[in-house]
Amino acid sequence: MDGIKSKSIGMIGMGDMGKLYTTKFSEAGWRVNVCDTPDKYEELQKGFGSRNNVHVYANGHLVSRVSDWIIYSVPAEFIDDVVATYGPSTKQGAIVGGQTSCKAPEIAAFDAHLPADVDVISCHSLHGPKVSTVGQPLAIITYRVSNLESIEFVKEVLSCLDSRMVHLSASQHDMITADTQAVTHAAFLSMGTAWQANNQFPWETSRYIGGIENVKINITLRIYSSKWHVYAGLAILNPSAKRQIRQYAQSVTELFKLMLGGHREELEHRVKTAGKAVFKGEKGRDLLLDDEVLDRFSLGKGSIEKTPNNHLSLLAMVDCWWKLGIEPYDHMICSTPLFRLWLGTTEYLFRKSDLLDEVLKIAIEDNTFRSDDLEFTFAARGWSDCVSFGDFGSYRDRFEKIQEYFAPRFPEATKIGNEMLATILAKTHS
């Protein structure tokens, strides 16, 4: 398109993803007009004011008046208020979109507050700001367009991310993010809560050494090193996510009761039935992860002998997918790195029959992890209640309390986690 670079991008909200997008777009030669909340204006000027192609404004009114594609990169919890404030100032004939993790409230806000002559094309990078954009899934949601050139313009802008573009409707996006992210996050949030409740740093004990434990520890710390609102908005504002998180808590509770009651045959039948349903089409295919990959990334030091684990969190994940009729492999094309890693870990357990049999035996005969599993069950139910009540304040309090507990290990966990995610990305794309 002739003269396309003469157009400019507006970024309302300069959190981690807003900064990532701004950096990428400006380095590709686009003019990017940015703003954040008024109290962050001077800070934003210091950080971005001297960068080529970046222009810092005091508020979203000024950004909206001069930009050709305005992206609202704000927490989903606040999208309606922010669009209500700045939407009426949108430049005539411009395109507006959002980068929130839940599209239902975003689209509702655009419908309510944008002028009729504005096209609506949203996006969502299905990864965090600490992950390279290259090769990652990038959802594009074309909601309202009067000119097909608008779509080409948006694709041209986003092409500098080198991500895999996937075109979805808003409802498809929210269903897929619920399927691939909501329950995954709930599992790791619950692990962190249980470890904190037991005053454990799991990498310092033989209970959580090697293999599958490396994945649990690294991803739990990765999630808690992020901002709470990233996970709260997706869980609380997405109706599908609430149902799935509730089912995960129910699966954890019911499987734990079977373990406590010593109901070996019922537990084995339920777990293996779930495994056959979820992994039915994968027989004969290579595993997403192998022993070498799983053992490589450890926060622990030395070669402490592993303690057998019943892996309640993994058994419940597959049980939850089965109960909800979720086909996790169907969403690989637009799944997050964390979901691919978690799917690879569950697959590793369920497709190794000897390992699964050992885990089921441990679940009935070995009480080593009973206190851990009890706290994990409490945690899963607690997070589910928090999401069901739609309580952002409670969610933030729970999240930040555990975040503070694990904070000293975040730098190392982030480094190792990046290496782990790069490895699983290579494996799942090979």
Side-chain angles (χ1 to χ4, degrees), residues 182 186-187 189-190 193 232 235-237 241-250 252-253 375-396 398:
L189 290 171
S190 300
T193 303
I236 293 174
L237 297 176
K242 289 185 179 182
R243 180 172 66 94
Q244 293 173 14
I245 293 170
R246 188 183 308 116
Q247 177 58 56
Y248 183 69
Q250 186 174 336
V252 170
T253 302
E375 291 292 353
F376 180 75
T377 303
F378 288 157
R381 292 166 69 100
W383 281 110
S384 176
D385 287 344
C386 183
V387 169
S388 295
F389 296 149
D391 189 345
F392 280 94
S394 176
Y395 194 104
R396 180 176 187 172
R398 291 170 63 88

Side-chain angles (χ1 to χ4, degrees), residues 18-33:
K19 289 175 181 175
L20 173 65
Y21 270 37
T22 296
T23 300
K24 290 286 188 179
F25 295 164
S26 61
E27 289 177 350
W30 297 100
R31 175 187 169 113
V32 188
N33 309 309

Side-chain angles (χ1 to χ4, degrees), residues 14-261:
M14 287 291 282
D16 292 338
M17 290 304 292
K19 289 175 181 175
L20 173 65
Y21 270 37
T22 296
T23 300
K24 290 286 188 179
F25 295 164
S26 61
E27 289 177 350
W30 297 100
R31 175 187 169 113
V32 188
N33 309 309
V34 306
C35 72
D36 207 296
T37 52
D39 60 298
K40 296 180 180 177
Y41 176 67
E42 291 186 6
E43 178 186 341
L44 203 55
Q45 277 281 20
K46 291 178 182 178
F48 283 85
S50 61
R51 294 201 186 189
N52 289 336
N53 301 320
V54 179
H55 301 263
V56 179
Y57 288 86
N59 58 59
H61 293 296
L62 301 175
V63 169
S64 295
R65 293 309 300 159
V66 298
S67 304
D68 296 289
W69 182 29
I70 300 112
I71 301 173
Y72 285 83
S73 187
V74 300
E77 177 188 5
F78 304 121
I79 188 69
D80 187 74
D81 289 342
V82 178
V83 178
T85 301
Y86 301 128
S89 297
T90 303
K91 177 181 177 181
Q92 186 175 7
I95 308 165
V96 173
Q99 222 285 110
T100 64
S101 58
C102 185
K103 294 305 176 188
E106 180 183 297
I107 294 299
F110 293 157
D111 273 340
H113 307 300
L114 291 180
D117 63 3
V118 170
D119 285 352
V120 176
I121 304 176
S122 281
C123 63
H124 181 204
S125 289
L126 291 160
H127 59 85
K130 300 172 186 175
V131 177
S132 169
T133 61
V134 177
Q136 298 294 350
L138 169 60
I140 299 177
I141 294 90
T142 303
Y143 178 67
R144 187 174 81 200
V145 291
S146 58
N147 189 335
L148 293 180
E149 287 190 358
S150 295
I151 301 173
E152 296 306 313
F153 169 45
V154 167
K155 288 168 62 177
E156 177 68 19
V157 173
L158 294 173
S159 65
C160 67
L161 301 177
D162 291 322
S163 298
R164 292 183 292 109
M165 298 184 192
V166 182
H167 293 269
L168 301 169
S169 68
S171 59
Q172 286 173 327
H173 168 275
D174 285 356
M175 179 59 74
I176 289 172
T177 53
D179 286 355
T180 60
Q181 295 185 52
V183 182
T184 305
H185 297 159
F188 291 111
L189 290 171
S190 300
M191 286 181 219
T193 303
W195 290 331
Q196 188 267 345
N198 280 330
N199 197 27
Q200 292 175 333
F201 294 100
W203 54 87
E204 295 177 353
T205 170
S206 62
R207 287 188 180 191
Y208 298 97
I209 295 296
I212 292 173
E213 309 302 346
N214 289 340
V215 175
K216 292 180 181 177
I217 293 169
N218 278 295
I219 297 186
T220 297
L221 294 190
R222 188 179 190 86
I223 286 176
Y224 276 109
S225 70
S226 301
K227 294 180 178 178
W228 69 274
H229 68 77
V230 174
Y231 306 104
L234 188 151
I236 293 174
L237 297 176
N238 188 327
S240 297
K242 289 185 179 182
R243 180 172 66 94
Q244 293 173 14
I245 293 170
R246 188 183 308 116
Q247 177 58 56
Y248 183 69
Q250 186 174 336
S251 292
V252 170
T253 302
E254 291 174 359
L255 293 179
F256 183 52
K257 286 180 178 179
L258 291 177
M259 295 177 186
L260 280 178

Side-chain angles (χ1 to χ4, degrees), residues 308-361:
N309 191 333
N310 61 47
H311 295 302
L312 174 59
S313 61
L314 287 165
L315 300 182
M317 181 61 61
V318 175
D319 187 83
C320 175
W321 285 335
W322 169 52
K323 290 289 186 181
L324 293 171
I326 293 173
E327 302 278 354
Y329 294 93
D330 289 351
H331 300 321
M332 287 293 283
I333 193 171
C334 49
S335 61
T336 64
L338 294 188
F339 176 76
R340 274 169 267 166
L341 190 49
W342 195 225
L343 175 59
T345 308
T346 58
E347 178 194 67
Y348 176 89
L349 171 60
F350 274 80
R351 289 183 57 198
K352 285 178 167 264
S353 57
D354 291 345
L355 177 58
L356 184 59
D357 286 339
E358 177 189 342
V359 164
L360 291 170
K361 180 181 178 187

